[in-house]
PDB file of all heavy atoms in Angstrom:
ATOM      1  N   HIS Z  88     -13.941 -23.698 -11.432  1.00  0.00           N
ATOM      2  CA  HIS Z  88     -14.075 -22.261 -11.466  1.00  0.00           C
ATOM      3  C   HIS Z  88     -13.456 -21.601 -12.680  1.00  0.00           C
ATOM      4  O   HIS Z  88     -13.474 -20.343 -12.849  1.00  0.00           O
ATOM      5  CB  HIS Z  88     -13.473 -21.609 -10.188  1.00  0.00           C
ATOM      6  CG  HIS Z  88     -14.100 -22.016  -8.877  1.00  0.00           C
ATOM      7  ND1 HIS Z  88     -15.361 -21.613  -8.506  1.00  0.00           N
ATOM      8  CD2 HIS Z  88     -13.725 -22.936  -8.027  1.00  0.00           C
ATOM      9  CE1 HIS Z  88     -15.636 -22.245  -7.397  1.00  0.00           C
ATOM     10  NE2 HIS Z  88     -14.689 -23.049  -7.057  1.00  0.00           N
ATOM     11  N   THR Z  89     -12.898 -22.307 -13.553  1.00  0.00           N
ATOM     12  CA  THR Z  89     -12.291 -21.807 -14.773  1.00  0.00           C
ATOM     13  C   THR Z  89     -12.681 -22.502 -15.950  1.00  0.00           C
ATOM     14  O   THR Z  89     -13.325 -23.592 -15.924  1.00  0.00           O
ATOM     15  CB  THR Z  89     -10.716 -21.796 -14.716  1.00  0.00           C
ATOM     16  OG1 THR Z  89     -10.273 -23.090 -14.956  1.00  0.00           O
ATOM     17  CG2 THR Z  89     -10.238 -21.289 -13.427  1.00  0.00           C
ATOM     18  N   ARG Z  90     -12.401 -22.008 -17.174  1.00  0.00           N
ATOM     19  CA  ARG Z  90     -12.662 -22.736 -18.404  1.00  0.00           C
ATOM     20  C   ARG Z  90     -11.370 -23.212 -18.971  1.00  0.00           C
ATOM     21  O   ARG Z  90     -11.277 -23.530 -20.132  1.00  0.00           O
ATOM     22  CB  ARG Z  90     -13.403 -21.820 -19.346  1.00  0.00           C
ATOM     23  CG  ARG Z  90     -14.831 -21.443 -18.936  1.00  0.00           C
ATOM     24  CD  ARG Z  90     -15.398 -20.571 -19.992  1.00  0.00           C
ATOM     25  NE  ARG Z  90     -16.757 -20.041 -19.512  1.00  0.00           N
ATOM     26  CZ  ARG Z  90     -17.902 -20.677 -19.580  1.00  0.00           C
ATOM     27  NH1 ARG Z  90     -17.966 -21.868 -19.888  1.00  0.00           N
ATOM     28  NH2 ARG Z  90     -18.940 -20.061 -19.089  1.00  0.00           N
ATOM     29  N   PHE Z  91     -10.297 -23.200 -18.175  1.00  0.00           N
ATOM     30  CA  PHE Z  91      -8.997 -23.532 -18.614  1.00  0.00           C
ATOM     31  C   PHE Z  91      -8.977 -25.070 -18.847  1.00  0.00           C
ATOM     32  O   PHE Z  91      -9.471 -25.917 -18.039  1.00  0.00           O
ATOM     33  CB  PHE Z  91      -7.931 -23.138 -17.586  1.00  0.00           C
ATOM     34  CG  PHE Z  91      -6.569 -23.011 -18.174  1.00  0.00           C
ATOM     35  CD1 PHE Z  91      -6.206 -21.905 -18.887  1.00  0.00           C
ATOM     36  CD2 PHE Z  91      -5.632 -23.995 -17.986  1.00  0.00           C
ATOM     37  CE1 PHE Z  91      -4.898 -21.734 -19.401  1.00  0.00           C
ATOM     38  CE2 PHE Z  91      -4.343 -23.925 -18.516  1.00  0.00           C
ATOM     39  CZ  PHE Z  91      -4.008 -22.766 -19.262  1.00  0.00           C
ATOM     40  N   PRO Z  92      -8.391 -25.551 -20.021  1.00  0.00           N
ATOM     41  CA  PRO Z  92      -8.317 -26.908 -20.279  1.00  0.00           C
ATOM     42  C   PRO Z  92      -7.377 -27.620 -19.295  1.00  0.00           C
ATOM     43  O   PRO Z  92      -6.178 -27.359 -19.262  1.00  0.00           O
ATOM     44  CB  PRO Z  92      -7.883 -27.020 -21.683  1.00  0.00           C
ATOM     45  CG  PRO Z  92      -7.063 -25.696 -21.911  1.00  0.00           C
ATOM     46  CD  PRO Z  92      -7.700 -24.723 -21.008  1.00  0.00           C
ATOM     47  N   LEU Z  93      -7.850 -28.559 -18.528  1.00  0.00           N
ATOM     48  CA  LEU Z  93      -7.115 -29.284 -17.553  1.00  0.00           C
ATOM     49  C   LEU Z  93      -6.059 -30.211 -18.241  1.00  0.00           C
ATOM     50  O   LEU Z  93      -4.939 -30.449 -17.788  1.00  0.00           O
ATOM     51  CB  LEU Z  93      -7.935 -30.235 -16.727  1.00  0.00           C
ATOM     52  CG  LEU Z  93      -7.403 -30.863 -15.513  1.00  0.00           C
ATOM     53  CD1 LEU Z  93      -6.829 -29.845 -14.607  1.00  0.00           C
ATOM     54  CD2 LEU Z  93      -8.391 -31.724 -14.920  1.00  0.00           C
ATOM     55  N   GLY Z  94      -6.320 -30.580 -19.545  1.00  0.00           N
ATOM     56  CA  GLY Z  94      -5.405 -31.426 -20.258  1.00  0.00           C
ATOM     57  C   GLY Z  94      -4.026 -30.859 -20.479  1.00  0.00           C
ATOM     58  O   GLY Z  94      -3.037 -31.543 -20.554  1.00  0.00           O
ATOM     59  N   LEU Z  95      -3.908 -29.522 -20.531  1.00  0.00           N
ATOM     60  CA  LEU Z  95      -2.707 -28.823 -20.739  1.00  0.00           C
ATOM     61  C   LEU Z  95      -1.765 -29.055 -19.521  1.00  0.00           C
ATOM     62  O   LEU Z  95      -0.567 -29.458 -19.714  1.00  0.00           O
ATOM     63  CB  LEU Z  95      -2.885 -27.307 -20.861  1.00  0.00           C
ATOM     64  CG  LEU Z  95      -1.624 -26.472 -20.866  1.00  0.00           C
ATOM     65  CD1 LEU Z  95      -0.759 -26.810 -22.115  1.00  0.00           C
ATOM     66  CD2 LEU Z  95      -1.912 -24.967 -20.848  1.00  0.00           C
ATOM     67  N   TYR Z  96      -2.289 -29.008 -18.371  1.00  0.00           N
ATOM     68  CA  TYR Z  96      -1.484 -29.279 -17.078  1.00  0.00           C
ATOM     69  C   TYR Z  96      -1.133 -30.676 -17.039  1.00  0.00           C
ATOM     70  O   TYR Z  96      -0.032 -31.065 -16.585  1.00  0.00           O
ATOM     71  CB  TYR Z  96      -2.271 -28.916 -15.818  1.00  0.00           C
ATOM     72  CG  TYR Z  96      -2.443 -27.346 -15.653  1.00  0.00           C
ATOM     73  CD1 TYR Z  96      -3.680 -26.799 -15.371  1.00  0.00           C
ATOM     74  CD2 TYR Z  96      -1.340 -26.561 -15.777  1.00  0.00           C
ATOM     75  CE1 TYR Z  96      -3.850 -25.506 -15.183  1.00  0.00           C
ATOM     76  CE2 TYR Z  96      -1.556 -25.157 -15.557  1.00  0.00           C
ATOM     77  CZ  TYR Z  96      -2.800 -24.684 -15.287  1.00  0.00           C
ATOM     78  OH  TYR Z  96      -2.900 -23.311 -15.169  1.00  0.00           O
ATOM     79  N   GLU Z  97      -2.006 -31.643 -17.403  1.00  0.00           N
ATOM     80  CA  GLU Z  97      -1.713 -33.040 -17.382  1.00  0.00           C
ATOM     81  C   GLU Z  97      -0.557 -33.358 -18.367  1.00  0.00           C
ATOM     82  O   GLU Z  97       0.315 -34.190 -18.139  1.00  0.00           O
ATOM     83  CB  GLU Z  97      -2.892 -33.828 -17.690  1.00  0.00           C
ATOM     84  CG  GLU Z  97      -3.963 -33.830 -16.550  1.00  0.00           C
ATOM     85  CD  GLU Z  97      -3.481 -34.142 -15.229  1.00  0.00           C
ATOM     86  OE1 GLU Z  97      -2.755 -35.134 -15.028  1.00  0.00           O
ATOM     87  OE2 GLU Z  97      -3.727 -33.272 -14.264  1.00  0.00           O
ATOM     88  N   ASN Z  98      -0.625 -32.757 -19.623  1.00  0.00           N
ATOM     89  CA  ASN Z  98       0.357 -33.022 -20.579  1.00  0.00           C
ATOM     90  C   ASN Z  98       1.804 -32.481 -20.086  1.00  0.00           C
ATOM     91  O   ASN Z  98       2.776 -33.074 -20.369  1.00  0.00           O
ATOM     92  CB  ASN Z  98       0.017 -32.367 -21.938  1.00  0.00           C
ATOM     93  CG  ASN Z  98      -1.014 -33.139 -22.708  1.00  0.00           C
ATOM     94  OD1 ASN Z  98      -1.160 -34.355 -22.500  1.00  0.00           O
ATOM     95  ND2 ASN Z  98      -1.897 -32.489 -23.469  1.00  0.00           N
ATOM     96  N   GLN Z  99       1.748 -31.303 -19.533  1.00  0.00           N
ATOM     97  CA  GLN Z  99       2.945 -30.750 -18.999  1.00  0.00           C
ATOM     98  C   GLN Z  99       3.611 -31.646 -17.939  1.00  0.00           C
ATOM     99  O   GLN Z  99       4.766 -31.841 -17.825  1.00  0.00           O
ATOM    100  CB  GLN Z  99       2.728 -29.358 -18.438  1.00  0.00           C
ATOM    101  CG  GLN Z  99       2.470 -28.315 -19.514  1.00  0.00           C
ATOM    102  CD  GLN Z  99       2.184 -26.895 -18.948  1.00  0.00           C
ATOM    103  OE1 GLN Z  99       1.777 -26.818 -17.777  1.00  0.00           O
ATOM    104  NE2 GLN Z  99       2.277 -25.942 -19.827  1.00  0.00           N
ATOM    105  N   ALA Z 100       2.692 -32.139 -17.039  1.00  0.00           N
ATOM    106  CA  ALA Z 100       3.195 -33.079 -15.908  1.00  0.00           C
ATOM    107  C   ALA Z 100       3.741 -34.339 -16.611  1.00  0.00           C
ATOM    108  O   ALA Z 100       4.734 -34.849 -16.153  1.00  0.00           O
ATOM    109  CB  ALA Z 100       2.087 -33.329 -15.038  1.00  0.00           C
ATOM    110  N   ASP Z 101       3.107 -34.878 -17.611  1.00  0.00           N
ATOM    111  CA  ASP Z 101       3.616 -36.056 -18.292  1.00  0.00           C
ATOM    112  C   ASP Z 101       4.996 -35.779 -18.966  1.00  0.00           C
ATOM    113  O   ASP Z 101       5.920 -36.587 -18.877  1.00  0.00           O
ATOM    114  CB  ASP Z 101       2.687 -36.498 -19.391  1.00  0.00           C
ATOM    115  CG  ASP Z 101       1.391 -37.294 -18.806  1.00  0.00           C
ATOM    116  OD1 ASP Z 101       1.456 -37.629 -17.601  1.00  0.00           O
ATOM    117  OD2 ASP Z 101       0.500 -37.348 -19.594  1.00  0.00           O
ATOM    118  N   GLU Z 102       5.124 -34.673 -19.582  1.00  0.00           N
ATOM    119  CA  GLU Z 102       6.372 -34.269 -20.229  1.00  0.00           C
ATOM    120  C   GLU Z 102       7.495 -34.091 -19.218  1.00  0.00           C
ATOM    121  O   GLU Z 102       8.609 -34.729 -19.360  1.00  0.00           O
ATOM    122  CB  GLU Z 102       6.133 -32.950 -20.933  1.00  0.00           C
ATOM    123  CG  GLU Z 102       7.446 -32.530 -21.705  1.00  0.00           C
ATOM    124  CD  GLU Z 102       7.142 -31.237 -22.499  1.00  0.00           C
ATOM    125  OE1 GLU Z 102       6.103 -30.692 -22.591  1.00  0.00           O
ATOM    126  OE2 GLU Z 102       8.193 -30.719 -23.067  1.00  0.00           O
ATOM    127  N   PHE Z 103       7.185 -33.498 -18.066  1.00  0.00           N
ATOM    128  CA  PHE Z 103       8.149 -33.344 -17.018  1.00  0.00           C
ATOM    129  C   PHE Z 103       8.628 -34.632 -16.395  1.00  0.00           C
ATOM    130  O   PHE Z 103       9.738 -34.969 -16.308  1.00  0.00           O
ATOM    131  CB  PHE Z 103       7.575 -32.411 -15.903  1.00  0.00           C
ATOM    132  CG  PHE Z 103       8.510 -32.204 -14.739  1.00  0.00           C
ATOM    133  CD1 PHE Z 103       9.244 -30.988 -14.726  1.00  0.00           C
ATOM    134  CD2 PHE Z 103       8.660 -33.020 -13.700  1.00  0.00           C
ATOM    135  CE1 PHE Z 103      10.161 -30.717 -13.696  1.00  0.00           C
ATOM    136  CE2 PHE Z 103       9.585 -32.753 -12.671  1.00  0.00           C
ATOM    137  CZ  PHE Z 103      10.255 -31.566 -12.642  1.00  0.00           C
ATOM    138  N   ALA Z 104       7.605 -35.546 -16.086  1.00  0.00           N
ATOM    139  CA  ALA Z 104       7.925 -36.814 -15.599  1.00  0.00           C
ATOM    140  C   ALA Z 104       8.815 -37.672 -16.604  1.00  0.00           C
ATOM    141  O   ALA Z 104       9.744 -38.277 -16.218  1.00  0.00           O
ATOM    142  CB  ALA Z 104       6.648 -37.677 -15.406  1.00  0.00           C
ATOM    143  N   THR Z 105       8.480 -37.573 -17.895  1.00  0.00           N
ATOM    144  CA  THR Z 105       9.284 -38.235 -18.931  1.00  0.00           C
ATOM    145  C   THR Z 105      10.744 -37.801 -18.919  1.00  0.00           C
ATOM    146  O   THR Z 105      11.630 -38.585 -18.900  1.00  0.00           O
ATOM    147  CB  THR Z 105       8.602 -38.057 -20.332  1.00  0.00           C
ATOM    148  OG1 THR Z 105       7.359 -38.661 -20.184  1.00  0.00           O
ATOM    149  CG2 THR Z 105       9.449 -38.901 -21.397  1.00  0.00           C
ATOM    150  N   TYR Z 106      10.893 -36.471 -18.987  1.00  0.00           N
ATOM    151  CA  TYR Z 106      12.275 -35.929 -18.953  1.00  0.00           C
ATOM    152  C   TYR Z 106      12.979 -36.234 -17.598  1.00  0.00           C
ATOM    153  O   TYR Z 106      14.271 -36.489 -17.645  1.00  0.00           O
ATOM    154  CB  TYR Z 106      12.286 -34.412 -19.105  1.00  0.00           C
ATOM    155  CG  TYR Z 106      11.959 -34.032 -20.606  1.00  0.00           C
ATOM    156  CD1 TYR Z 106      11.044 -33.079 -20.912  1.00  0.00           C
ATOM    157  CD2 TYR Z 106      12.711 -34.611 -21.626  1.00  0.00           C
ATOM    158  CE1 TYR Z 106      10.708 -32.799 -22.271  1.00  0.00           C
ATOM    159  CE2 TYR Z 106      12.463 -34.256 -22.976  1.00  0.00           C
ATOM    160  CZ  TYR Z 106      11.503 -33.332 -23.271  1.00  0.00           C
ATOM    161  OH  TYR Z 106      11.241 -32.986 -24.528  1.00  0.00           O
ATOM    162  N   LEU Z 107      12.289 -36.175 -16.574  1.00  0.00           N
ATOM    163  CA  LEU Z 107      13.020 -36.459 -15.296  1.00  0.00           C
ATOM    164  C   LEU Z 107      13.495 -37.943 -15.201  1.00  0.00           C
ATOM    165  O   LEU Z 107      14.562 -38.244 -14.829  1.00  0.00           O
ATOM    166  CB  LEU Z 107      12.059 -36.186 -14.039  1.00  0.00           C
ATOM    167  CG  LEU Z 107      12.653 -36.491 -12.682  1.00  0.00           C
ATOM    168  CD1 LEU Z 107      13.798 -35.546 -12.402  1.00  0.00           C
ATOM    169  CD2 LEU Z 107      11.549 -36.354 -11.630  1.00  0.00           C
ATOM    170  N   LEU Z 108      12.576 -38.803 -15.521  1.00  0.00           N
ATOM    171  CA  LEU Z 108      12.932 -40.256 -15.497  1.00  0.00           C
ATOM    172  C   LEU Z 108      13.966 -40.725 -16.539  1.00  0.00           C
ATOM    173  O   LEU Z 108      14.568 -41.762 -16.371  1.00  0.00           O
ATOM    174  CB  LEU Z 108      11.649 -41.096 -15.600  1.00  0.00           C
ATOM    175  CG  LEU Z 108      10.698 -40.925 -14.448  1.00  0.00           C
ATOM    176  CD1 LEU Z 108       9.355 -41.697 -14.679  1.00  0.00           C
ATOM    177  CD2 LEU Z 108      11.282 -41.314 -13.150  1.00  0.00           C
ATOM    178  N   THR Z 109      14.116 -39.873 -17.585  1.00  0.00           N
ATOM    179  CA  THR Z 109      15.138 -40.208 -18.601  1.00  0.00           C
ATOM    180  C   THR Z 109      16.465 -39.416 -18.394  1.00  0.00           C
ATOM    181  O   THR Z 109      17.457 -39.663 -19.174  1.00  0.00           O
ATOM    182  CB  THR Z 109      14.613 -39.978 -19.999  1.00  0.00           C
ATOM    183  OG1 THR Z 109      14.337 -38.650 -20.139  1.00  0.00           O
ATOM    184  CG2 THR Z 109      13.541 -40.828 -20.372  1.00  0.00           C
ATOM    185  N   ALA Z 110      16.496 -38.542 -17.347  1.00  0.00           N
ATOM    186  CA  ALA Z 110      17.609 -37.620 -17.209  1.00  0.00           C
ATOM    187  C   ALA Z 110      18.917 -38.436 -16.940  1.00  0.00           C
ATOM    188  O   ALA Z 110      19.949 -37.952 -17.400  1.00  0.00           O
ATOM    189  CB  ALA Z 110      17.338 -36.673 -16.069  1.00  0.00           C
ATOM    190  N   SER Z 111      18.859 -39.644 -16.378  1.00  0.00           N
ATOM    191  CA  SER Z 111      20.114 -40.325 -15.995  1.00  0.00           C
ATOM    192  C   SER Z 111      20.497 -41.314 -16.991  1.00  0.00           C
ATOM    193  O   SER Z 111      21.367 -42.068 -16.811  1.00  0.00           O
ATOM    194  CB  SER Z 111      19.942 -40.963 -14.611  1.00  0.00           C
ATOM    195  OG  SER Z 111      18.947 -41.836 -14.593  1.00  0.00           O
ATOM    196  N   GLU Z 112      19.632 -41.466 -18.010  1.00  0.00           N
ATOM    197  CA  GLU Z 112      19.940 -42.523 -19.031  1.00  0.00           C
ATOM    198  C   GLU Z 112      20.316 -41.856 -20.405  1.00  0.00           C
ATOM    199  O   GLU Z 112      19.811 -40.805 -20.749  1.00  0.00           O
ATOM    200  CB  GLU Z 112      18.631 -43.270 -19.285  1.00  0.00           C
ATOM    201  CG  GLU Z 112      18.135 -43.981 -18.032  1.00  0.00           C
ATOM    202  CD  GLU Z 112      19.085 -45.146 -17.588  1.00  0.00           C
ATOM    203  OE1 GLU Z 112      19.671 -45.678 -18.527  1.00  0.00           O
ATOM    204  OE2 GLU Z 112      19.142 -45.393 -16.389  1.00  0.00           O
ATOM    205  N   GLU Z 113      21.160 -42.594 -21.092  1.00  0.00           N
ATOM    206  CA  GLU Z 113      21.545 -42.180 -22.472  1.00  0.00           C
ATOM    207  C   GLU Z 113      20.828 -43.152 -23.414  1.00  0.00           C
ATOM    208  O   GLU Z 113      20.775 -44.364 -23.296  1.00  0.00           O
ATOM    209  CB  GLU Z 113      23.044 -42.307 -22.638  1.00  0.00           C
ATOM    210  CG  GLU Z 113      23.870 -41.300 -21.965  1.00  0.00           C
ATOM    211  CD  GLU Z 113      23.665 -39.909 -22.532  1.00  0.00           C
ATOM    212  OE1 GLU Z 113      23.485 -39.784 -23.756  1.00  0.00           O
ATOM    213  OE2 GLU Z 113      23.621 -38.987 -21.693  1.00  0.00           O
ATOM    214  N   ARG Z 114      20.194 -42.543 -24.413  1.00  0.00           N
ATOM    215  CA  ARG Z 114      19.510 -43.355 -25.463  1.00  0.00           C
ATOM    216  C   ARG Z 114      20.558 -43.856 -26.389  1.00  0.00           C
ATOM    217  O   ARG Z 114      21.316 -43.121 -26.893  1.00  0.00           O
ATOM    218  CB  ARG Z 114      18.462 -42.542 -26.144  1.00  0.00           C
ATOM    219  CG  ARG Z 114      17.606 -43.340 -27.124  1.00  0.00           C
ATOM    220  CD  ARG Z 114      16.458 -42.433 -27.652  1.00  0.00           C
ATOM    221  NE  ARG Z 114      15.793 -43.154 -28.651  1.00  0.00           N
ATOM    222  CZ  ARG Z 114      14.772 -42.663 -29.323  1.00  0.00           C
ATOM    223  NH1 ARG Z 114      14.441 -41.379 -29.149  1.00  0.00           N
ATOM    224  NH2 ARG Z 114      14.145 -43.392 -30.270  1.00  0.00           N
ATOM    225  N   GLY Z 115      20.436 -45.212 -26.800  1.00  0.00           N
ATOM    226  CA  GLY Z 115      21.407 -45.745 -27.723  1.00  0.00           C
ATOM    227  C   GLY Z 115      21.161 -45.126 -29.119  1.00  0.00           C
ATOM    228  O   GLY Z 115      19.986 -44.707 -29.382  1.00  0.00           O
ATOM    229  N   ILE Z 116      22.113 -45.135 -29.901  1.00  0.00           N
ATOM    230  CA  ILE Z 116      22.049 -44.495 -31.247  1.00  0.00           C
ATOM    231  C   ILE Z 116      20.948 -45.061 -32.035  1.00  0.00           C
ATOM    232  O   ILE Z 116      20.146 -44.334 -32.720  1.00  0.00           O
ATOM    233  CB  ILE Z 116      23.418 -44.677 -31.989  1.00  0.00           C
ATOM    234  CG1 ILE Z 116      24.532 -43.904 -31.288  1.00  0.00           C
ATOM    235  CG2 ILE Z 116      23.243 -44.169 -33.459  1.00  0.00           C
ATOM    236  CD1 ILE Z 116      25.883 -44.168 -31.807  1.00  0.00           C
ATOM    237  N   ASP Z 117      20.737 -46.384 -32.170  1.00  0.00           N
ATOM    238  CA  ASP Z 117      19.747 -47.029 -32.877  1.00  0.00           C
ATOM    239  C   ASP Z 117      18.645 -47.611 -32.006  1.00  0.00           C
ATOM    240  O   ASP Z 117      17.824 -48.404 -32.550  1.00  0.00           O
ATOM    241  CB  ASP Z 117      20.353 -48.134 -33.814  1.00  0.00           C
ATOM    242  CG  ASP Z 117      21.317 -47.610 -34.848  1.00  0.00           C
ATOM    243  OD1 ASP Z 117      21.114 -46.476 -35.338  1.00  0.00           O
ATOM    244  OD2 ASP Z 117      22.276 -48.318 -35.244  1.00  0.00           O
ATOM    245  N   GLU Z 118      18.519 -47.208 -30.804  1.00  0.00           N
ATOM    246  CA  GLU Z 118      17.575 -47.771 -29.839  1.00  0.00           C
ATOM    247  C   GLU Z 118      16.283 -47.175 -30.159  1.00  0.00           C
ATOM    248  O   GLU Z 118      16.021 -45.982 -30.185  1.00  0.00           O
ATOM    249  CB  GLU Z 118      17.977 -47.415 -28.343  1.00  0.00           C
ATOM    250  CG  GLU Z 118      17.085 -48.038 -27.375  1.00  0.00           C
ATOM    251  CD  GLU Z 118      17.565 -47.753 -25.975  1.00  0.00           C
ATOM    252  OE1 GLU Z 118      18.282 -46.794 -25.741  1.00  0.00           O
ATOM    253  OE2 GLU Z 118      17.076 -48.371 -25.066  1.00  0.00           O
ATOM    254  N   PRO Z 119      15.251 -48.050 -30.411  1.00  0.00           N
ATOM    255  CA  PRO Z 119      13.871 -47.581 -30.634  1.00  0.00           C
ATOM    256  C   PRO Z 119      13.325 -46.855 -29.433  1.00  0.00           C
ATOM    257  O   PRO Z 119      13.634 -47.252 -28.208  1.00  0.00           O
ATOM    258  CB  PRO Z 119      13.105 -48.879 -30.898  1.00  0.00           C
ATOM    259  CG  PRO Z 119      14.146 -49.856 -31.271  1.00  0.00           C
ATOM    260  CD  PRO Z 119      15.360 -49.540 -30.562  1.00  0.00           C
ATOM    261  N   THR Z 120      12.504 -45.908 -29.721  1.00  0.00           N
ATOM    262  CA  THR Z 120      11.917 -45.054 -28.584  1.00  0.00           C
ATOM    263  C   THR Z 120      11.184 -46.019 -27.521  1.00  0.00           C
ATOM    264  O   THR Z 120      11.329 -45.761 -26.358  1.00  0.00           O
ATOM    265  CB  THR Z 120      10.958 -44.086 -29.168  1.00  0.00           C
ATOM    266  OG1 THR Z 120      11.607 -43.241 -30.102  1.00  0.00           O
ATOM    267  CG2 THR Z 120      10.320 -43.239 -28.089  1.00  0.00           C
ATOM    268  N   GLU Z 121      10.504 -46.985 -28.057  1.00  0.00           N
ATOM    269  CA  GLU Z 121       9.728 -47.906 -27.093  1.00  0.00           C
ATOM    270  C   GLU Z 121      10.601 -48.569 -26.193  1.00  0.00           C
ATOM    271  O   GLU Z 121      10.309 -48.732 -24.993  1.00  0.00           O
ATOM    272  CB  GLU Z 121       8.856 -48.836 -27.895  1.00  0.00           C
ATOM    273  CG  GLU Z 121       7.752 -48.172 -28.782  1.00  0.00           C
ATOM    274  CD  GLU Z 121       8.222 -47.534 -29.971  1.00  0.00           C
ATOM    275  OE1 GLU Z 121       9.354 -47.863 -30.538  1.00  0.00           O
ATOM    276  OE2 GLU Z 121       7.520 -46.674 -30.461  1.00  0.00           O
ATOM    277  N   TRP Z 122      11.790 -49.013 -26.689  1.00  0.00           N
ATOM    278  CA  TRP Z 122      12.730 -49.709 -25.801  1.00  0.00           C
ATOM    279  C   TRP Z 122      13.336 -48.907 -24.751  1.00  0.00           C
ATOM    280  O   TRP Z 122      13.518 -49.171 -23.629  1.00  0.00           O
ATOM    281  CB  TRP Z 122      13.884 -50.321 -26.593  1.00  0.00           C
ATOM    282  CG  TRP Z 122      13.393 -51.417 -27.620  1.00  0.00           C
ATOM    283  CD1 TRP Z 122      12.108 -51.857 -27.813  1.00  0.00           C
ATOM    284  CD2 TRP Z 122      14.225 -52.286 -28.427  1.00  0.00           C
ATOM    285  NE1 TRP Z 122      12.122 -52.944 -28.772  1.00  0.00           N
ATOM    286  CE2 TRP Z 122      13.430 -53.205 -29.139  1.00  0.00           C
ATOM    287  CE3 TRP Z 122      15.697 -52.335 -28.584  1.00  0.00           C
ATOM    288  CZ2 TRP Z 122      13.973 -54.098 -29.994  1.00  0.00           C
ATOM    289  CZ3 TRP Z 122      16.141 -53.244 -29.466  1.00  0.00           C
ATOM    290  CH2 TRP Z 122      15.267 -54.132 -30.186  1.00  0.00           C
ATOM    291  N   PHE Z 123      13.699 -47.584 -25.204  1.00  0.00           N
ATOM    292  CA  PHE Z 123      14.286 -46.598 -24.371  1.00  0.00           C
ATOM    293  C   PHE Z 123      13.300 -46.333 -23.171  1.00  0.00           C
ATOM    294  O   PHE Z 123      13.676 -46.242 -22.005  1.00  0.00           O
ATOM    295  CB  PHE Z 123      14.687 -45.351 -25.124  1.00  0.00           C
ATOM    296  CG  PHE Z 123      15.173 -44.228 -24.261  1.00  0.00           C
ATOM    297  CD1 PHE Z 123      16.403 -44.354 -23.522  1.00  0.00           C
ATOM    298  CD2 PHE Z 123      14.478 -43.015 -24.196  1.00  0.00           C
ATOM    299  CE1 PHE Z 123      16.865 -43.362 -22.766  1.00  0.00           C
ATOM    300  CE2 PHE Z 123      14.944 -41.996 -23.474  1.00  0.00           C
ATOM    301  CZ  PHE Z 123      16.161 -42.169 -22.655  1.00  0.00           C
ATOM    302  N   LEU Z 124      12.040 -46.038 -23.550  1.00  0.00           N
ATOM    303  CA  LEU Z 124      11.031 -45.792 -22.548  1.00  0.00           C
ATOM    304  C   LEU Z 124      10.829 -46.891 -21.554  1.00  0.00           C
ATOM    305  O   LEU Z 124      10.788 -46.709 -20.392  1.00  0.00           O
ATOM    306  CB  LEU Z 124       9.697 -45.282 -23.202  1.00  0.00           C
ATOM    307  CG  LEU Z 124       9.837 -43.987 -23.982  1.00  0.00           C
ATOM    308  CD1 LEU Z 124       8.406 -43.716 -24.695  1.00  0.00           C
ATOM    309  CD2 LEU Z 124      10.154 -42.852 -23.058  1.00  0.00           C
ATOM    310  N   ALA Z 125      10.718 -48.111 -22.149  1.00  0.00           N
ATOM    311  CA  ALA Z 125      10.585 -49.277 -21.292  1.00  0.00           C
ATOM    312  C   ALA Z 125      11.731 -49.402 -20.293  1.00  0.00           C
ATOM    313  O   ALA Z 125      11.528 -49.809 -19.192  1.00  0.00           O
ATOM    314  CB  ALA Z 125      10.413 -50.459 -22.109  1.00  0.00           C
ATOM    315  N   ARG Z 126      12.938 -49.149 -20.813  1.00  0.00           N
ATOM    316  CA  ARG Z 126      14.179 -49.282 -19.945  1.00  0.00           C
ATOM    317  C   ARG Z 126      14.096 -48.318 -18.785  1.00  0.00           C
ATOM    318  O   ARG Z 126      14.576 -48.522 -17.745  1.00  0.00           O
ATOM    319  CB  ARG Z 126      15.324 -49.106 -20.826  1.00  0.00           C
ATOM    320  CG  ARG Z 126      16.699 -49.318 -20.134  1.00  0.00           C
ATOM    321  CD  ARG Z 126      17.820 -49.539 -21.073  1.00  0.00           C
ATOM    322  NE  ARG Z 126      17.940 -48.537 -22.109  1.00  0.00           N
ATOM    323  CZ  ARG Z 126      18.596 -47.371 -22.007  1.00  0.00           C
ATOM    324  NH1 ARG Z 126      19.138 -47.027 -20.880  1.00  0.00           N
ATOM    325  NH2 ARG Z 126      18.712 -46.522 -22.980  1.00  0.00           N
ATOM    326  N   CYS Z 127      13.457 -47.134 -19.067  1.00  0.00           N
ATOM    327  CA  CYS Z 127      13.342 -46.129 -18.128  1.00  0.00           C
ATOM    328  C   CYS Z 127      12.068 -46.219 -17.208  1.00  0.00           C
ATOM    329  O   CYS Z 127      11.890 -45.437 -16.300  1.00  0.00           O
ATOM    330  CB  CYS Z 127      13.450 -44.720 -18.765  1.00  0.00           C
ATOM    331  SG  CYS Z 127      14.964 -44.408 -19.598  1.00  0.00           S
ATOM    332  N   GLY Z 128      11.221 -47.166 -17.492  1.00  0.00           N
ATOM    333  CA  GLY Z 128      10.002 -47.320 -16.690  1.00  0.00           C
ATOM    334  C   GLY Z 128       8.907 -46.339 -17.123  1.00  0.00           C
ATOM    335  O   GLY Z 128       8.129 -45.900 -16.194  1.00  0.00           O
TER     336      GLY Z 128
END
């Protein structure tokens, strides 16, 4: 019923999920992003 891009909502949900799942973890100073994300699932 709308012309609103669904991708915006999906990107926002991905962003929220990423921040929620990393909220309890500290990223190491030199830790690569891929390692940090893998460690957080």
Side-chain angles (χ1 to χ4, degrees):
H88 301 287
T89 73
R90 296 186 189 276
F91 202 78
L93 190 59
L95 174 65
Y96 289 131
E97 296 304 312
N98 285 333
Q99 288 176 343
D101 284 345
E102 182 179 355
F103 182 95
T105 300
Y106 284 128
L107 179 64
L108 295 175
T109 58
S111 63
E112 298 292 330
E113 289 291 324
R114 184 173 176 186
I116 295 171
D117 294 328
E118 184 176 20
T120 301
E121 294 78 21
W122 293 6
F123 176 63
L124 294 176
R126 186 163 50 86
C127 296

